[in-house]
Amino acid sequence: MAPCRAGPGRSQLGMSWTPFSRTQAPALPIRYDGTRLAARLTERLRWRPQRESDLPAVVTIFSHPAVVAHRPDPSPETAGECRQRLVKDLDHWQRHGFGRWALERNGHVIGFGGLTYRDGFAGLNLSYHLHPDHWGQGLASEFAAAAVEIALNDLLAPQVIGIARPVNLASRRVLAKVGFIFARPITYGGHPGLLHVKRAERS
């Protein structure tokens, strides 16, 4: 499986790509299933790996004031920052074969979410961002529950982490709803954060 592969050279986003083999990924006993990792259907959402043409949707979501309201710096992301975000996400897919999906509903991208490596933490990091027009409908929980299943059962991660700002009560509720346990307060990006963990239950 080679999802979201850009190939050597320069992409449309101006990113210089270098192919990586899976043996270069951090140590994790991954069992790949192309259908589950490249595309996924839940009750109301279709997931797929991000692609370069998603840049307008990235800008629409991450430049929305409500999406960034709980950050220490609540400034909406610029088009350049959104481009860097997408390049980073595409690179994660190419390096590891999984990452953050584009989340579609009724044929439209309404958010992004996925599983990524985060420096300094064991396991995989769960993240999700939906456009505010789709908040309050249980879609974040629907995505998070299925993503955790993939992390623990398909990718065989030892644990999944979720980091939320103390003021982001909605995100903390989603993590609790899908089985995360509060672990400890942390300093994240130089500011307070709350680390939540869901560990694999394997004999």
Side-chain angles (χ1 to χ4, degrees):
M1 181 189 70
C4 211
R5 185 170 295 283
R10 184 167 293 276
S11 73
Q12 295 176 4
L13 289 174
M15 172 69 185
S16 295
W17 296 92
T18 302
F20 286 82
S21 70
R22 293 192 180 110
T23 58
Q24 292 173 285
L28 190 69
I30 294 175
R31 181 178 69 249
Y32 284 92
D33 179 326
T35 300
R36 287 172 63 81
L37 295 182
R40 173 74 188 239
L41 292 173
T42 53
E43 182 179 356
R44 293 173 292 175
L45 297 172
R46 175 182 180 268
W47 317 359
R48 58 165 175 78
Q50 292 183 76
R51 53 195 181 215
E52 295 182 356
S53 59
D54 287 325
L55 183 57
V58 175
V59 173
T60 297
I61 291 170
F62 288 95
S63 66
H64 196 293
V67 173
V68 299
H70 295 304
R71 296 179 179 179
D73 178 2
S75 302
E77 292 189 11
T78 66
E81 290 169 334
C82 290
R83 176 186 170 279
Q84 292 174 2
R85 170 185 291 278
L86 180 56
V87 166
K88 182 179 178 180
D89 285 346
L90 293 175
D91 184 62
H92 195 284
W93 270 102
Q94 187 177 13
R95 287 174 178 257
H96 307 302
F98 63 92
R100 285 168 51 83
W101 289 269
L103 308 180
E104 297 181 346
R105 189 179 190 192
N106 300 324
H108 300 283
V109 176
I110 65 165
F112 299 93
L115 303 162
T116 54
Y117 290 106
R118 185 176 292 279
D119 290 343
F121 295 95
L124 296 177
N125 177 68
L126 171 70
S127 61
Y128 42 85
H129 296 86
L130 300 180
H131 190 279
D133 288 350
H134 301 273
W135 290 1
Q137 303 173 41
L139 294 170
S141 298
E142 180 177 320
F143 164 75
V148 167
E149 178 187 343
I150 289 174
L152 299 180
N153 297 330
D154 288 79
L155 298 176
L156 299 181
Q159 65 180 21
V160 187
I161 66 166
I163 300 173
R165 298 294 181 188
V167 295
N168 194 343
L169 299 180
S171 184
R172 292 165 60 186
R173 282 194 294 267
V174 169
L175 293 173
K177 185 176 180 179
V178 299
F180 282 75
I181 303 299
F182 172 67
R184 65 180 187 275
I186 61 172
T187 300
Y188 171 57
H191 298 274
L194 302 175
L195 177 66
H196 301 75
V197 176
K198 183 165 184 177
R199 294 184 173 86
E201 296 180 1
R202 286 188 280 268
S203 56

